[in-house]
Amino acid sequence: RAKSAGGNRFELADPEADARAITRHGLTTALPTALDRGEFFIEYQPLVHLGDGGVRGAEALVRWLHPQHGVLGPDRFIPLAEHTGLIVPLGRWVLEQSVRQARDWRERHADAGPMRINVNLSPCQLTHPGLVQDTVEILERAGVDPDALCLEVTESALIGADDDLLKPLRRLAEMGVDIALDDFGTGYSNLANLRRLPVSVLKLDRSFTQSMQQFPADPVDLKIVEGIVSLAHSLNLAVTVEGVETGAQAEQLRILGCDTAQGWYYARPGPPERLHELALVDATG
Ligand code: C2E
Ligand code: MG
Ligand code: MG
Ligand code: MG
């Protein structure tokens, strides 16, 4: 709505857009000190093997308990953290917490098989020169094997990646850290390019899982997923699917050959204690 003629200079053209801008501004201002104030916390969502239903690991998902706005999801503040540079210390904090969680889990549930923790990396962390050393130090300090860690990088962050960008990921992969290509299938990347990337896991984007919702599922989507899975397996990559919300989806994706799954059907992201409970169920059958 246009300003009224000769009217109040402060009249808002779009009150909602302005409210969003004010909130964004407020969040940007509060962000730099939120880490020191201990306002971030991590929820973990289990990764479940489609063959035997066992919990194989969990993805760490960061949240911000904002004193005024309550719990904010990463989509609200990760872009701001990337913009302000806070993502580097915040990412390091998430990594440190998650690695300690993995150690805790492995100590308490040695009989449940080796647990792996997945941690998301933003493109800014990839280009930060301290990535490899920070990761090595965090693992050593916690006394955790590199194979307990999987770093998730989005497909779009690696499209057209040159050797300089891939070098730190290669070093980490050589050490035994797994690298997963997150949100795969959304970035129009050249499939042949996969061979060049130091990844060992493909995380199929939720949009594919959603198309398995209809029954019968779209035959073209089925063919696409089947093709991705067979290509991935021929390159020795494991396939994880995100966003599994129903048993029918899980069954369809299992038949298509996917290895592990993650989604509300199994568990919503939750506090670390939830993971301990799930591990016990898993170990005792
Ligand atoms: P992502 O890595 O693709 O994570 C999966 C997202 O799907 C999570 O959203 C998760 O809560 C959600 N999800 C899981 N199961 C289901 C399901 O069955 N149905 C639906 N509809 N959604 C499901 P969340 O927690 O809001 O995270 C959003 C994105 O924020 C993540 O996407 C990731 O890219 C980013 N993110 C989260 N934590 C971190 C972090 O520590 N560092 C960085 N750089 N990015 C992070
Ligand atoms: Mg992820
Ligand atoms: Mg994902
Ligand atoms: Mg996703």
Side-chain angles (χ1 to χ4, degrees), residues 41-43 45 59-63 72-79 82 87 90-91 93-95 98 118-123 125 152 154 182-183 203 205-206 209-210 241-246 249 262-269:
F41 65 100
I42 301 175
E43 289 193 314
Q45 186 177 35
E59 179 172 11
L61 297 159
V62 68
R63 279 86 178 87
L72 302 176
D75 293 337
R76 293 287 301 280
F77 63 85
I78 291 287
E82 287 174 338
I87 192 68
L90 175 60
W93 179 83
V94 172
L95 187 62
S98 307
N118 286 32
V119 178
N120 293 286
L121 278 193
S122 92
Q125 291 172 271
E152 299 193 0
T154 59
D182 205 354
D183 300 342
K203 284 193 86 170
D205 191 65
R206 189 161 77 221
T209 312
Q210 273 165 351
V241 286
E242 1 174 85
V244 175
E245 294 179 0
T246 68
Q249 287 172 330
Q262 181 183 353
W264 298 344
Y265 173 62
Y266 303 100
R268 300 228 172 194

Side-chain angles (χ1 to χ4, degrees), residues 13-26:
D14 179 353
E16 270 181 33
D18 205 70
R20 280 196 301 274
I22 291 167
T23 313
R24 199 179 321 122
H25 176 75

Side-chain angles (χ1 to χ4, degrees), residues 96-176:
E96 179 130 47
Q97 300 297 308
S98 307
V99 162
R100 284 202 206 140
Q101 192 54 51
R103 179 194 54 201
D104 215 38
W105 212 90
R106 285 185 165 200
E107 278 173 6
R108 280 169 65 176
H109 308 289
D111 50 342
M115 157 81 155
R116 237 176 26 164
I117 212 90
N118 286 32
V119 178
N120 293 286
L121 278 193
S122 92
C124 315
Q125 291 172 271
L126 263 188
T127 51
H128 186 262
L131 175 68
V132 176
Q133 201 185 334
D134 285 351
T135 308
V136 170
E137 281 174 12
I138 285 172
L139 288 166
E140 280 178 355
R141 232 180 293 143
V144 167
D145 254 22
D147 73 359
L149 179 64
C150 176
L151 294 173
E152 299 193 0
V153 185
T154 59
E155 182 191 17
S156 54
L158 292 188
I159 285 182
D162 58 14
D163 266 351
D164 281 347
L165 192 74
L166 295 179
K167 211 180 278 170
L169 286 183
R170 267 200 199 105
R171 292 246 343 254
L172 291 164
E174 281 160 13
M175 282 164 42

Side-chain angles (χ1 to χ4, degrees), residues 64-81:
W64 179 8
L65 180 55
H66 188 282
Q68 278 95 46
H69 302 294
V71 175
L72 302 176
D75 293 337
R76 293 287 301 280
F77 63 85
I78 291 287
L80 301 177

